[in-house]
Amino acid sequence: MCRIGAIKSRDYIHPSWALRLMRSQQKGHDNSGFAMVMQDLGGVFENYKKYPVLSMACTEEGMKTAEDILYSMGFSRIGQWNPEIRPADNLNIEPMPIYVFQFFHYPKSMRNASQAEKEQLLVDARITLRRALEANGEGYVYSFWPDTLTLKEIGDPTDIGTYFNLWEESKDFTARIITAQCRQNTNYDIVRYAAHPFFLQGYTVLANGENTFYEKNKHFQKSLHKGYIGFESDSQCFLYTLHYIHRELGWPLKYYKHTVTPLPFEEIERHPERDVLLRIRSSLAHLEINGPNTLIGVLPDGQMFTCCDSKKLRPVVVGRNEDMVVISSEVNGINEILPDRDWKQDIYPHARETVIINNELEVNQWQQCV
Amino acid sequence: MAAMRVNALARDDMQWRITYNHERCTLCGHCLSSCPFRAIEAGVEKRRKVISDHLTPKPKVLFQTVPVIRQVLDHHEACRGCGCCEKVCPNEAIAPRLNLETRLPIKHRGTTADGYKRGGRSNLNPMGNTLDKITIGRISQMTDPSLDAQRHTFDMLAPLGRVLPPESLPLRISETGSLGITESLPPLNWMYPIIIGDMSIGALSTRMWEALAIATAYLNEEVGLPVRMCTGEGGIPGRLLRSHYVRYMILQIASGHFGWNRIVNSMPDMQDDPAGILIKIGQGAKPGDGGMLQAKKVARHIQEIRGVPKADLLSPPNHQGLYSIEESVQKMFLSFNSAFKFRVPVAIKVAASTTSVSVYNNLLRDPYNIVGGFFLDGIQGGTGAAQDISLDHTGHPIVSKLRDCYLAAVHQGKQGQIPLWAGGGMAQGWNLAADAFKMISLGANGVFTGKLMLQLAGCVGLDNGKCNACNTGLCPAGICSQNPVLVKRLDIDKVAENIVNYFIATDQELKKLMAPIGNSSLPVGRSDALISTDRAVADKLTISYAC
């Protein structure tokens, strides 16, 4: 099983917080990897929030392939940040030769384009890059999006932290939202793309779970959006459904929960939104998720939420102080980084609940049933 | 010496031979009165017996004329092997036995210049029973725990009605952040994923049909299982039509339009809407024949319900006025939708065929969004006045065709938009829950079953030609007959009870299949849960091969 965690902070924080949050839960995973997505970036990225950041791990040939493609599309590089790699023989890690965190100017032709057009271009560019690199095994493209940075690595999370010098706090490399996973990938090979968090157009999702409706989810999602690709992990379906409900259909967040874990028919009959919920249940039957899972998601506007399967089969807890809200699989993770919080305020979301943290760090609990 | 008539029917030509033990027979006559086919008769035989009634042997020949029961040798009164004589005989003196050397089918054709009508069921199953070659191989454990079939709540309802793609739903976000429906939507009803298939009042005895209706109402109102029943073509009693029980009924309109007048005339007095309308284009068994209710079954009440004289009632295998999909969609669906003011879903039933996918694709692209369901009927279903030639040599197996239709919808990203229901051969292996579960995993929203209901009622027919007299009006169990004497054999309450109990058991069994794969709602399209030990079946259905 995976362990997942997320931090949303008033101030910029360094990824070492996320590492500590996850490392304390090491008995719940197999130490086979660590992955994180940082959003609302600080440090060297703070002044470049409008510009798309490419997060990629690749070979030298891969680097060249990617540069050629991006330049041919009209992108021009503004700058980059390189992690301070500290290789050592005794580290359990399977690193790629190059880690790319570069920010780009949009093509000149797109400077006056609408936000939607730019966002479409970024998806197209990422998919093009991914396909090109995938063809010859030259690398992995995780995200290409403003104010977002993704790192995914195979190996022991402690050693990964050492390799990238993430244990040492630095003001150069920070963010206000960090989501992270330490994994135990049970269903598939240890594939980099299969590591959470998954990211698409500002939406981030990570899950501790099994999606027994994976096949029907996948069959349905494949035809919904060109960005719904990969499917290396059954958990990617959770992201695509969130993106589809919230962005493509433009429905309020609560209908995500109504889609993935619909109320039983008996309860729908008593619900004030009966007619709408029955229609959702029929039209989106193939996006339902059966199986034990806990989800953590981040919306493009920075709001964060968590919810569970309809039977609450996987754990999750929300802890907070005035400056930070932390969501974690296990409470010991929160104890590690917020030892002085009022633990009586911790929230253990139940099966029909969505906990939403807004940008003022207010925590709202929304109930699916009446 | 008597002339030998080579072409006369001989005992050895009969499909069923009566074995009769004179020594055990007490001549009570029960067998004679129970045989609806008049396939046995009372007769006399001359017996020669050597006896001695003296103290010392003094043999003498005694000629005696004894009464016996014997088989009638006739094409029309041939023994059907129903076994009623055996059932009623107190002394095990008589029984039919299958004669593998039978020549009756060719003798019949040679004598009557007509096809050999066998009434009931298909004998050919050259592929074996496909569903029995599939098992549910994905068992949840540990990381995705299985559920407790006894205690967990399962959500088992299937839709009937046009399901719009989410982007087409007329929804608007209100000020409170909730979605509201802004326009009327195609009607959509939710029901149990197993429907009692369409068998007409007329084909069935009134008592059998009534038993089905009672069982349906009981399942809904007492058991809490929202099982629906399709009326079949041929109408529905007026009182039922005007009662609230009509909400459990799917009304069928087929090419003969029998009984539809009465439905239309009753509309002003109806206090509830039916669960759906099913337009029967074709059926899976005997697809070239259509429905055939022979005059001898058109009893007085059938004449009243259907508004017809006592005559052969033929429902053609096609709708005579319609020759294209476009026409069908425009005329038929629109008119039936509008008949019920667009409140009742209208679905279509077609025979499974190599062309079914084209029809389904076409309906999925129907711009009117008024097709509320696609019922696919396979080769193995059906009773009726069918001939050998139709039963054995026409039709299409249902399993792969259902899968083809589902995958065609997946290919277009339209799965679920026109609910898929499949039937024809469900529970051939006597387990409806298992077959329903497998069909649902392959992509069906639900299944329908007819023949199994007859078997629950006491039908004695079997696929190897036993009985199969559904068409003759002489059903020995009183299920498919209008003969008052035979119909009285059927105990309505017992039949209803059997059906209700079977559904309760099936519901438990369905849960016992959903629990191990960890699903609390119907696993439509979850073919990853299935495996087959038959490579060809696995390949054709795109499920895992296991051995």
Side-chain angles (χ1 to χ4, degrees), chain A residues 353-368:
Chain A
E353 189 170 30
T354 305
V355 177
I356 305 155
I357 298 112
N358 69 15
N359 288 331
E360 280 71 50
L361 296 192
E362 289 167 350
V363 177
N364 293 301
Q365 288 164 269
W366 172 77
Q367 305 300 331
Q368 188 180 7

Side-chain angles (χ1 to χ4, degrees), chain A residues 227-242:
Chain A
Y228 302 168
I229 55 167
F231 297 101
E232 290 84 3
S233 158
D234 56 13
S235 301
Q236 270 160 303
C237 298
F238 304 153
L239 167 72
Y240 298 150
T241 294
L242 173 66

